[in-house]
């Protein structure tokens, strides 16, 4: 049955198996005291009221004492069961979330190009939560509810042997299959609707995330009303899709109750015709109630499973996404890298239908500084992204010191490459820890030296907390130029032989630009450097310039060689010169 879908995830119960087993045991105590204990108590209590010549003294006290005893067992069972199940549930949730998160870390950049951040957040938070709810509720209910049903049925059997009539049991049990029909019909609908509702939750998260990541743009372009409308629409869609789930979810219990009311009437009729006494009659009612209660609960469990199945589909979409940049099974070591990069007949496509880089053939010597220029969209960033294997070539090969990058472990390959991005991205941590990313075991002394090399030491020291200053979310408490210098300090600390430098496009003030430029020149010394040159100010320090156009390298050489020979280069350069 459909529980099979969840079986691979039951392994998460293993670390909490003791609590889980105790929780189940508590569930059985609860079930037995509800299904068997309560009807039994009622059987002895009712005659106390209806029969004038009832028991007295110790016997009376004994019967009365049964009430609190049964209720104490039931209460203890109920509490321990609920608490231990919540305990195991939260532990399961933690593990599932971590598994999904870890898998997301291993996914290539291409995956994030295709999927929205908000939707992924919704999958990590919302869908894991649904799955956790299902695993715990299902496993718990699958013991507790049938145990209650069996206890109540056992009581009916016990009573029928005493009353010499087995017909109540048969009638009570005969109605169970009838209750399964609405459970099945509603379950199928819930699966469909829940999938849509979760998808809409992802969309809602996406709109929220996009808005919160673009707070400046929203204000600058007066997009507040448009954004509110977009969010409102997503909210409404989510509400409508969720309400459909609620409708089916909530229809189940009343439906089952109607079915069981007929069964109860028939069972009572048989009991009355057979002239059972009041105590037995009341206890039959209680036992029947205890029989149908679990059926109802199991129906709601079925709905939970359906909802969780929809969430599982969304989670498995992430978990089953294979790494399109796979790790080699027979890794070679790069050893101490000189930094020679060679690209042979490289072709690259993001999607099947468009070639972004075509027939790229280039050899970059160790220690060479190479600038990549070309019109926007020509393929410069893509070219640089292939070296650390953010993407893999679709044809041809890239070699570092003669070794194909696909034959090296990604972690080793990337340890030899430092990246200075266009938009320096800092983590919400101290400045020291942000620089330390370049070398996790670096001492404060090493961090300060790296900051000095990056022309960052002075401004850091001038801050109240110095290196311990918290930079805020994404480094928002620092200026663009300061962030950039911290990211250059990171690269200094990493001391990698290959540097990829995505030149900042946003205009920095002259002083900041000068400091960054000077730091980058220092950083470039003795290393192989690829500069994605958006502005041409850095070009003069390059040993070679590669001119990209529509995914091809159309010219290569120094500025002095290219200016007269390449029309494209000349026009790009002149346009830049005019702007300055
Ligand atoms: N993640 C992606 N998925 C699909 N296509 C992409 C992706 N990234 C870039 N492209 C496409 O690949 C082509 C090359 O883009 P690339 O970013 O390499 O150009 P670029 O020369 O660095 O441009 P710019 O100077 O504007 O940064 C463009 O047509 C772009 O639309």
């Amino acid at each position: 049955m459909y529980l099979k879908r969840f079986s691979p995830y039951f392994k998460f119960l293993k670390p909490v198996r003791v609590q889980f087993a105790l929780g189940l045991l508590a569930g059985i105590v609860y079930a037995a005291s509800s299904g068997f204990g309560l009807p039994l108590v009622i059987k002895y209590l009712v005659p106390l009221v209806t029969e004038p010549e009832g028991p007295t003294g110790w016997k009376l006290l004994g019967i009365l004492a049964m009430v609190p005893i049964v209720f104490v067992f039931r209460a203890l069972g109920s509490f321990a069961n609920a608490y231990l199940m919540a305990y195991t549930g939260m532990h399961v949730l933690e593990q599932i979330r971590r598994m999904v998160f870890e898998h997301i870390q291993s996914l290539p950049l291409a995956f994030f190009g295709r999927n929205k951040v908000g939707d992924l957040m919704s999958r990590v938070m919302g869908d894991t939560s649904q799955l956790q709810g299902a695993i715990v509720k299902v496993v718990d209910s699958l013991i507790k509810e049938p145990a209650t049903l069996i206890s109540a049925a056992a009581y009916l059997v016990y009573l029928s042997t005493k009353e010499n009539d087995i017909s109540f049991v048969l009638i009570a049990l005969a109605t169970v299959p009838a209750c399964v029909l609405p459970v099945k019909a509603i379950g199928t609908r819930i699966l469909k609707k829940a999938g849509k509702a979760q998808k809409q939750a992802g969309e809602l998260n996406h709109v929220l995330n996009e808005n919160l990541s673009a707070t400046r743009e929203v204000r600058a372009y007066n997009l507040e009303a448009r954004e509110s409308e977009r969010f409102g629409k997503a909210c409404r869609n989510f509400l409508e899709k969720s309400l459909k789930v609620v409708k089916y979810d909530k229809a189940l219990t009343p439906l089952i109750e109607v079915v069981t009311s007929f069964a109860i009437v028939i069972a009572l009729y048989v009991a009355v015709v057979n002239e059972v006494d009041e105590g037995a009659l009341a206890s039959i009612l209680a036992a029947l109630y205890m029989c149908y209660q679990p059926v109802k609960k199991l129906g709601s469990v079925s709905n939970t499973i359906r909802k969780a199945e929809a969430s599982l589909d969304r989670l498995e979409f992430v978990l089953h996404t294979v790494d399109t940049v796979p790790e080699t099974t027979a890794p070679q070591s790069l050893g101490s890298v000189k930094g020679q990069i060679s690209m042979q007949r490289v072709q690259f496509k993001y999607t099947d239908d468009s070639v972004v880089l075509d027939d790229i053939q280039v050899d970059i010597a160790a220690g060479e500084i190479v600038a990549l220029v070309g019109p926007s969209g020509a393929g410069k960033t893509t070219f640089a992204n292939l070296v650390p294997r953010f993407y893999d070539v679709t044809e041809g090969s890239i070699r570092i010191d003669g070794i194909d990058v696909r034959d090296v472990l990604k972690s080793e390959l990337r340890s030899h490459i430092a990246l200075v991005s266009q938009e320096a991205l800092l983590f919400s941590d101290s400045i020291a820890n942000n620089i330390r990313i370049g070398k996790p075991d670096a001492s404060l002394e090493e961090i300060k030296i790296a900051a000095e090399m990056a022309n960052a030491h002075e401004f850091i020291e001038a801050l109240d907390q110095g290196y311990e200053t918290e930079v805020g979310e994404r480094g928002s408490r620092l200026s663009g130029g300061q962030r950039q210098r911290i990211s250059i300090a990171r690269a200094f600390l990493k001391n990698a032989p290959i540097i990829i430098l995505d030149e900042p496009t946003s205009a920095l003030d002259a002083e900041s630009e000068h400091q960054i430029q000077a730091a980058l020149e220092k950083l470039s010394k003795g290393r192989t450097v690829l500069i994605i040159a958006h502005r041409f100010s850095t070009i003069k320090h390059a040993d070679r310039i590669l001119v990209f156009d529509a995914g091809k390298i159309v010219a290569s050489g120094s500025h002095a060689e290219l200016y007269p020979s390449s029309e494209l280069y000349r026009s790009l350069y002149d346009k830049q010169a005019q702007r300055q």
Side-chain angles (χ1 to χ4, degrees):
M1 96 161 178
Y2 43 64
L3 264 186
K4 245 190 172 159
R5 277 291 310 275
F6 296 91
S7 52
Y9 303 92
F10 286 155
K11 65 173 184 238
F12 293 120
L13 285 169
K14 211 171 159 200
V16 283
R17 58 188 179 280
V18 175
Q19 292 84 345
F20 184 64
L22 289 174
L24 290 184
L25 197 66
I28 291 172
V29 170
Y30 168 85
S33 42
S34 305
F36 202 102
L38 283 183
L40 190 69
V41 167
I42 289 171
K43 179 172 163 29
Y44 286 103
L45 279 184
V46 172
L48 293 183
V49 187
T50 54
E51 288 168 23
E53 308 268 308
T56 52
W58 284 111
K59 201 166 177 202
L60 176 63
L61 275 181
I63 293 173
L64 289 178
M66 280 170 67
V67 180
I69 290 172
V70 168
F71 273 96
V72 164
F73 270 104
R74 194 166 179 264
L76 283 178
S78 165
F79 170 75
N81 174 262
Y83 175 75
L84 289 168
M85 285 305 153
Y87 179 97
T88 49
M90 284 176 191
H91 277 81
V92 168
L93 176 63
E94 183 190 84
Q95 293 177 76
I96 295 178
R97 274 208 184 117
R98 285 173 59 172
M99 173 180 72
V100 178
F101 187 83
E102 271 162 35
H103 187 74
I104 288 178
Q105 301 316 297
S106 74
L107 291 177
L109 281 189
F111 176 79
F112 302 96
R114 286 195 306 268
N115 296 286
K116 299 173 189 164
V117 173
D119 184 54
L120 286 174
M121 283 171 71
S122 165
R123 288 175 202 248
V124 175
M125 300 306 290
D127 290 298
T128 48
S129 184
Q130 288 273 12
L131 188 59
Q132 169 237 357
I135 290 180
V136 172
K137 190 169 172 184
V138 165
V139 183
D140 171 38
S141 301
L142 286 186
I143 299 287
K144 200 164 88 179
E145 303 310 335
T148 308
L149 180 70
I150 289 167
S151 305
Y155 177 77
L156 286 171
V157 174
Y158 159 79
L159 196 69
S160 63
T161 54
K162 288 201 115 190
E163 303 284 333
N164 289 325
D165 192 343
I166 194 120
S167 38
F168 334 117
V169 185
L170 292 180
I171 287 168
L173 297 181
T175 53
V176 176
C179 298
V180 173
L181 293 176
V183 173
K184 273 201 105 139
I186 283 184
T188 325
R189 283 180 181 76
I190 288 224
L191 175 64
K192 244 200 271 162
K193 307 287 176 201
K196 287 188 180 152
Q198 289 303 104
K199 188 167 169 226
Q200 212 48 53
E203 181 61 26
L204 189 60
N205 241 326
H206 159 66
V207 175
L208 179 64
N209 179 63
E210 204 166 66
N211 175 280
L212 294 179
S213 326
T215 43
R216 242 155 54 110
E217 285 74 6
V218 168
R219 278 146 195 83
Y221 289 95
N222 289 328
L223 300 178
E224 294 89 341
R226 188 198 80 152
E227 284 294 287
S228 295
E229 193 187 278
R230 205 154 75 101
F231 188 71
K233 226 185 240 168
C235 274
R236 180 45 56 111
N237 278 340
F238 176 57
L239 178 139
E240 282 167 4
K241 299 280 185 310
S242 304
L243 268 183
K244 286 194 178 141
V245 179
V246 174
K247 187 168 84 186
Y248 287 109
D249 203 10
K250 299 301 169 200
L252 186 64
T253 301
L255 259 175
I256 293 180
E257 278 177 1
V258 169
V259 174
T260 53
S261 72
F262 285 102
I264 287 181
V265 164
I266 298 168
L268 276 181
Y269 174 77
V270 176
V272 171
V273 168
N274 287 319
E275 294 177 352
V276 296
D277 65 54
E278 298 93 337
L281 196 64
S283 73
I284 289 169
L285 265 180
L288 284 178
Y289 177 77
M290 291 298 167
C291 273
Y292 295 122
Q293 201 62 5
V295 176
K296 246 165 48 182
K297 291 247 177 78
L298 286 173
S300 111
V301 169
S302 151
N303 287 354
T304 308
I305 295 175
R306 294 311 196 154
K307 281 187 267 179
E309 241 182 295
S311 284
L312 190 61
D313 285 343
R314 287 167 49 79
L315 281 175
E316 285 185 341
F317 168 79
V318 178
L319 289 171
H320 293 171
T321 299
V322 287
D323 194 349
T324 45
V325 182
E327 199 76 278
T328 170
T329 46
Q332 293 187 37
S333 175
L334 281 169
S336 76
V337 172
K338 291 190 201 71
Q340 189 242 339
I341 303 170
S342 146
M343 295 207 180
Q344 298 300 320
R345 313 199 71 82
V346 164
Q347 187 211 58
F348 179 74
K349 298 175 187 173
Y350 282 104
T351 49
D352 286 342
D353 47 359
S354 69
V355 178
V356 172
L357 288 177
D358 195 19
D359 202 19
I360 301 285
Q361 187 92 18
V362 65
D363 281 302
I364 298 168
E368 193 177 8
I369 300 177
V370 176
L372 318 174
V373 304
S376 179
K380 308 177 291 288
T381 309
T382 308
F383 174 90
N385 278 343
L386 294 179
V387 180
R389 289 189 76 201
F390 291 154
Y391 300 90
D392 264 345
V393 296
T394 33
E395 272 176 35
S397 67
I398 299 177
R399 290 168 190 276
I400 291 181
D401 292 354
I403 297 178
D404 193 314
V405 289
R406 286 168 295 194
D407 294 336
V408 181
L409 288 179
K410 281 183 274 185
S411 56
E412 191 197 338
L413 173 69
R414 290 170 188 171
S415 74
H416 295 298
I417 302 170
L419 181 75
V420 180
S421 312
Q422 206 174 78
E423 266 285 314
L425 225 158
L426 306 187
F427 291 91
S428 52
D429 202 340
S430 66
I431 290 182
N433 284 343
N434 262 295
I435 298 177
R436 194 173 274 124
I437 286 172
K439 184 182 173 195
D441 57 352
S443 66
L444 188 59
E445 212 39 53
E446 287 176 279
I447 289 172
K448 284 186 179 173
I449 292 171
E452 258 167 40
M453 301 292 281
N455 294 338
H457 180 68
E458 226 169 276
F459 94 77
I460 297 172
E461 286 284 270
L463 295 169
D464 277 351
Q465 315 263 305
Y467 280 83
E468 289 314 308
T469 308
E470 291 288 321
V471 300
E473 202 177 347
R474 301 164 83 93
S476 59
R477 284 192 213 136
L478 300 176
S479 75
Q482 290 171 334
R483 284 201 293 269
Q484 199 69 35
R485 278 179 275 161
I486 288 179
S487 94
I488 295 171
R490 246 182 217 170
F492 266 113
L493 196 59
K494 188 165 183 181
N495 195 19
I498 298 171
I499 309 253
I500 295 174
L501 203 66
D502 201 350
E503 218 182 36
T505 40
S506 55
L508 297 160
D509 63 76
E511 173 57 17
S512 208
E513 185 174 350
H514 170 74
Q515 292 203 342
I516 288 175
Q517 210 51 264
L520 289 177
E521 271 169 44
K522 265 187 270 170
L523 180 65
S524 303
K525 281 219 172 73
R527 305 175 208 265
T528 309
V529 184
L530 298 179
I531 308 171
I532 303 165
H534 299 288
R535 292 182 295 167
F536 281 28
S537 41
T538 27
I539 285 184
K540 36 187 190 297
H541 306 291
D543 298 315
R544 189 159 37 134
I545 298 160
L546 300 178
V547 185
F548 282 76
D549 189 23
K552 287 186 188 280
I553 297 177
V554 291
S556 155
S558 66
H559 171 74
E561 289 164 354
L562 289 174
Y563 194 80
S565 65
S566 164
E567 201 179 312
L568 176 62
Y569 178 77
R570 195 167 52 245
S571 88
L572 288 169
Y573 188 88
D574 288 346
K575 261 190 235 156
Q576 284 265 332
Q578 273 169 19
R579 252 184 268 150
Q580 279 163 8

